[in-house]
Amino acid sequence: MVFKEGRIATFFALVIVVGAILYFINRAKIGKISKIRKIPGLIAIEEAVGRATEMGGSVLFIPGIGGLTTVEGPETLAGISVLNYTAKLCARLGTKIVAAIRMPEVIPLAEEAISTAFRMEGKFEEYRPDMVRYLSSDQWGIATGAMGIMQRERVKANIMLGFFAGEALALAEAGAVAGAIQIAGTATNTTQLPWFASICDYCLFGEEVYVAGAVLSEDPIQLGSIAGQDVGKFMAICLITIGILMYLLKVDWLIRLLKI
Amino acid sequence: MSIFKRREIPVIITAFSGFLMVIEYFFTIPLVASISTGIREWASLIAAFAVGLGATNLGIIHASRVRHRRENWYLSAWLLFVMVLMIIVGIFGTTKHPLYDFLFANVYSTVGPTMWGLLAFYLASASFRALRVRSLESLLLLISAILLMLLSAPIGGIIPGVTVVANWVQNVPNTAGMRGILLGTALGAIGLSIRTLLGYEKGYLPE
């Protein structure tokens, strides 16, 4: 077994973070539940679905434009977890939900997330296959399709969570024009965050997107894993602080160590 | 298929593939490398097959709309007509057929740039919404936006100090903030991956 060049330090950093996550998961299993801060954007989902119900409108959910086989996969999965939660609320309140999909491989996951939610709420007979709509594999194809749905189907709650690119601005503006309460979040493509933050009512940044499913599930084991991530943050803060001091003292062994 | 199989089998496949990819990223093991290459090829193949799933989804939903004469059913009919036309021309005439080429160049290729062009107007309305000063944070956002707009505009170069301050805003606080978010993003992705590989992330699995 031979390490690939330049990946040894990364491997041990990963081992520490994963070790911490597993430790906190095990802690949660024995009843020591970590306290996780509330994320306003996630709390607002219930309010958004409730508002759409009161106004007789529908809920549009877009789990990003990323696929599953690319680097955007985790963001898409995070979006699907929140879709499951949103669909449960819609099933409970009898609100129409539509999931707009770009990448075809996401269709079965979205169908499973929504049908499971309706089954769990005891309303499986209300589940319709057209709740999951593949619009187009083209970036602007899904954008125009979703913008059309917002107008035609009186969308009053627009939830966008996953990987988004240039179409983020157009989607958020269309949602605002439709008068929908908007909750949006994206992680890796940080250049889209300013648009979501300025146009949408609630915005989830970076890490918040990935933990959304775990926070909404209220499953102690999943919440424990979030606490484990904080060890990684603490490690990063320490490394940054020590790195700044060493840089000022013109000592470079830490940089060389991290590059091995 | 029982719920056990429907839940456990996907988790086992995900865990096996995921851990193999992690091992392949860090270590040089020929056997693992060849298996993970195979898995990646399979993933691409399955994703390609999923296009058929997408077309089926589109066909079922829009055919149903046309059949039941729902609101705007003629748009669904048009979509189905264009989709079938492109498929027939693409399969029987190949992608080099003049009709396919015509449709691609004159319809598809022009729609994308049109949407990019529309972004300019969306940018204006979004900026109007974002740059209203209602708090200290929005004031800071407005000042930063003005500085960066001046930096990009020719007039910025002749106003003393604008270039220096705008570059500082872009390179120091902006970059620091973005890197902070990316750091959290990376850790969040690791956490989500661990939950998915161990089967704790259940949102996409049947209950």
Side-chain angles (χ1 to χ4, degrees):
Chain A
M1 195 186 288
V2 184
F3 268 109
K4 285 187 179 169
E5 200 181 328
R7 293 180 186 176
I8 298 174
T10 316
F11 175 76
F12 285 105
L14 183 69
V15 167
I16 293 169
V17 175
V18 172
I21 291 170
L22 294 176
Y23 168 74
F24 279 97
I25 285 176
N26 282 326
R27 241 173 133 246
K29 279 182 183 170
I30 56 167
K32 291 181 179 175
I33 300 163
S34 308
K35 197 180 172 199
I36 306 293
R37 76 174 166 89
K38 301 278 182 203
I39 300 173
L42 297 177
I43 298 167
I45 292 177
E46 199 167 343
E47 176 199 335
V49 175
R51 184 173 174 269
T53 311
E54 283 170 8
M55 296 178 80
S58 53
V59 176
L60 176 65
F61 194 102
I62 310 173
I65 62 160
L68 292 172
T69 55
T70 52
V71 73
E72 300 102 30
E75 265 174 286
T76 308
L77 279 181
I80 294 292
S81 291
V82 181
L83 170 63
N84 178 256
Y85 173 78
T86 311
K88 272 183 203 163
L89 293 174
C90 289
R92 201 174 298 159
L93 298 172
T95 317
K96 183 182 173 187
I97 182 169
V98 175
I101 307 294
R102 181 198 175 204
M103 300 307 283
E105 68 262 29
V106 182
I107 298 170
L109 297 190
E111 284 175 341
E112 200 64 63
I114 297 181
S115 63
T116 300
F118 274 74
R119 193 181 297 116
M120 285 179 76
E121 291 297 320
K123 294 189 176 175
F124 188 66
E125 70 284 354
E126 289 176 22
Y127 169 73
R128 297 279 174 275
D130 72 346
M131 286 175 175
V132 177
R133 294 188 203 164
Y134 166 74
L135 297 178
S136 168
S137 292
D138 181 79
Q139 177 190 14
W140 289 110
I142 183 179
T144 47
M147 287 157 77
I149 290 172
M150 285 178 203
Q151 287 298 326
R152 285 192 302 273
E153 308 201 15
R154 299 185 67 243
V155 169
K156 294 297 167 203
N158 178 31
I159 304 169
M160 302 184 280
L161 213 78
F163 175 81
F164 287 92
E167 75 295 330
L169 170 61
L171 287 169
E173 274 294 295
V177 170
I181 184 167
Q182 300 202 88
I183 300 164
T186 192
T188 48
N189 197 357
T190 49
T191 50
Q192 303 306 325
L193 282 173
W195 301 121
F196 279 161
S198 57
I199 303 167
C200 299
D201 300 281
Y202 296 93
C203 182
L204 279 81
F205 286 68
E207 188 189 9
E208 291 177 341
V209 173
Y210 293 114
V211 301
V215 172
L216 291 171
S217 73
E218 293 179 348
D219 173 12
I221 294 172
Q222 292 197 53
L223 293 174
S225 72
I226 301 171
Q229 288 168 212
D230 282 355
V231 174
K233 273 187 218 158
F234 181 72
M235 193 169 74
I237 291 166
C238 289
L239 280 172
I240 290 168
T241 312
I242 296 167
I244 291 169
L245 290 172
M246 287 193 160
Y247 180 79
L248 293 172
L249 295 169
K250 298 192 190 315
V251 181
D252 69 343
W253 66 260
L254 183 64
I255 296 167
R256 282 191 279 119
L257 181 75
L258 292 174
K259 281 183 180 174
I260 59 169
Chain B
M1 195 183 277
S2 72
I3 286 290
F4 173 78
K5 285 178 184 166
R6 288 182 71 198
R7 277 194 73 159
E8 305 308 321
I9 291 174
V11 170
I12 290 167
I13 294 171
T14 309
F16 174 74
S17 314
F19 283 119
L20 216 64
M21 293 298 157
V22 174
I23 294 168
E24 197 247 341
Y25 179 81
F26 287 109
F27 304 104
T28 310
I29 307 168
L31 179 67
V32 173
S34 74
I35 296 172
S36 54
T37 305
I39 289 174
R40 271 196 292 271
E41 284 169 1
W42 269 99
S44 303
L45 266 174
I46 292 166
F49 268 112
V51 175
L53 189 67
T56 310
N57 179 285
L58 265 180
I60 291 171
I61 289 169
H62 290 278
S64 161
R65 282 174 168 223
V66 173
R67 202 168 50 243
H68 298 293
R69 293 288 190 275
R70 292 215 185 108
E71 198 182 0
N72 298 322
W73 64 270
Y74 49 89
L75 296 176
S76 295
W78 177 247
L79 182 142
L80 290 172
F81 169 72
V82 175
M83 188 172 82
V84 171
L85 178 72
M86 285 298 278
I87 290 171
I88 291 171
V89 175
I91 290 174
F92 295 105
T94 75
T95 53
K96 291 185 174 55
H97 192 277
L99 179 59
Y100 187 92
D101 205 36
F102 174 84
L103 289 169
F104 195 85
N106 294 287
V107 180
Y108 182 82
S109 298
T110 50
V111 171
T114 306
M115 286 304 296
W116 281 113
L118 274 177
L119 273 189
F121 300 102
Y122 286 130
L123 274 171
S125 59
S127 301
F128 174 73
R129 217 187 305 275
L131 301 178
R132 276 178 294 184
V133 179
R134 284 176 295 195
S135 61
L136 178 64
E137 288 87 351
S138 54
L139 177 67
L140 291 172
L141 185 69
L142 176 67
I143 294 168
S144 306
I146 290 171
L147 282 169
L148 291 173
M149 279 190 271
L150 285 172
L151 180 70
S152 304
I155 195 172
I158 54 172
I159 303 172
V162 163
T163 313
V164 177
V165 179
N167 274 323
W168 180 83
V169 168
Q170 198 166 24
N171 296 330
V172 181
N174 178 56
T175 307
M178 286 298 183
R179 284 180 184 171
I181 292 172
L182 280 177
L183 202 69
T185 298
L187 289 164
I190 293 171
L192 179 77
S193 303
I194 295 294
R195 287 196 296 277
T196 307
L197 295 182
L198 297 178
Y200 293 130
E201 190 80 26
K202 300 166 193 161
Y204 65 98
L205 295 168
E207 287 286 336

